[in-house]
Amino acid sequence: VDELILEGVVVTLNLDGSPNIAPMGPRVDRDITRLVLRPFRTSQTYQNLKRQPEGVLHVTDDVELIARAAIGQPDPLPPLVPLESIRVLRLADCCRWFAFRVTALDDADERTTIQCRVVERGTVRDFFGLNRAKHAVLEAAILATRIGILPADEIRSQLQRLAPLVQKTAGDQERRAFALLDDYIGKGLHAERPSERVASDAAK
Ligand SMILES: Cc1cc2nc3c(=O)[nH]c(=O)nc-3n(C[C@H](O)[C@H](O)[C@H](O)COP(=O)(O)O)c2cc1C
């Protein structure tokens, strides 16, 4: 089967019953009947799926939500609605949603592999369409989650290459989302600097 990555937003159930919202890129088949999620063992999404093996994957063009969810939990939470097949709620606003159940979970490695089967699906509204600023925000959101993993200079230079796409093609939502991520990354890399300095001092 032809499989590819679908960048979406996954909602799972926290221990206290509240929803957890996280951008995740599962591998899917073209018809999206199955997903393979690869969350790190440190992620809330993994911990929730291990305990409560169901969730909802959303296709959305709302890159501001993706940006906010990438760097923490969106506050306030976006509106959610209950589903018939599972206990987890779905985002009220999205393009498409796919409720899934976990069929197999392999957490031997730090990056886990979680096989899921889609049990219910729906369409809410049209997808806006391709837009370079939206994709730039998506890439910046991934960079924001790679602080401490990728070298600071690489994050900085990649972010700089994305900025003109936002300047040229964004609307308000994309501009706000990119500014949020730019600010978060700036602060995150700044906070990282002392240890870098220690490392370079030690190298002298
Ligand atoms: C577009 C996008 C795709 C992502 N895909 C994954 C993924 O497949 N696996 C993963 O562990 N983290 C992925 N991340 C990073 C997580 O969203 C990030 O680590 C988040 O903080 C995890 O949230 P959680 O702890 O609430 O689960 C992705 C981020 C973005 C922006």
Side-chain angles (χ1 to χ4, degrees):
V1 274
D2 184 24
E3 289 185 338
L4 72 170
I5 298 287
L6 174 59
E7 307 296 357
V9 174
V10 170
V11 178
T12 53
L13 200 66
N14 290 322
L15 190 54
D16 67 1
S18 63
N20 185 75
I21 304 178
M24 287 280 156
R27 181 163 284 277
V28 302
D29 56 312
R30 290 272 172 192
D31 296 333
I32 317 181
T33 62
R34 282 166 192 286
L35 336 169
V36 183
L37 284 159
R38 304 285 321 275
F40 286 93
R41 276 199 304 238
T42 49
S43 70
Q44 193 63 44
T45 299
Y46 157 73
Q47 283 162 32
N48 287 350
L49 288 176
K50 175 119 183 167
R51 190 186 58 249
Q52 170 83 19
E54 52 186 31
V56 189
L57 171 71
H58 302 79
V59 170
T60 185
D61 49 25
D62 183 350
V63 292
E64 196 171 15
L65 176 68
I66 292 172
R68 288 164 65 217
I71 62 175
Q73 281 302 293
D75 181 22
L77 281 177
L80 297 142
V81 285
L83 296 174
E84 280 173 18
S85 54
I86 60 169
R87 279 177 60 199
V88 184
L89 309 184
R90 72 160 173 88
L91 297 173
D93 179 64
C94 63
C95 299
R96 292 192 286 166
W97 56 268
F98 303 87
F100 62 83
R101 280 213 185 87
V102 173
T103 55
L105 185 148
D106 176 353
D107 55 7
D109 295 330
E110 179 51 30
R111 191 158 188 203
T112 68
T113 300
I114 306 180
Q115 316 267 356
C116 311
R117 186 171 53 86
V118 172
V119 293
E120 193 186 349
R121 60 169 69 204
T123 301
V124 176
R125 63 170 175 82
D126 288 342
F127 188 72
F128 175 76
L130 300 178
N131 169 264
R132 297 179 78 195
K134 286 191 184 294
H135 288 273
V137 172
L138 189 75
E139 293 300 330
I142 292 173
L143 287 175
T145 67
R146 297 286 196 272
I147 294 171
I149 301 169
L150 289 179
D153 286 345
E154 193 175 325
I155 293 179
R156 249 182 240 113
S157 70
Q158 287 197 30
L159 196 64
Q160 267 168 27
R161 269 190 283 142
L162 295 170
L165 302 176
V166 176
Q167 278 146 24
K168 280 184 220 161
T169 72
D172 291 344
Q173 179 200 91
E174 294 75 25
R175 252 187 288 275
R176 278 194 307 267
F178 195 79
L180 178 75
L181 293 167
D182 188 48
D183 182 63
Y184 177 89
I185 291 169
K187 285 177 180 151
L189 295 182
H190 186 73
E192 219 180 49
R193 231 173 257 155
S195 64
E196 284 179 2
R197 202 155 44 225
V198 170
S200 64
D201 286 351
K204 274 177 200 161

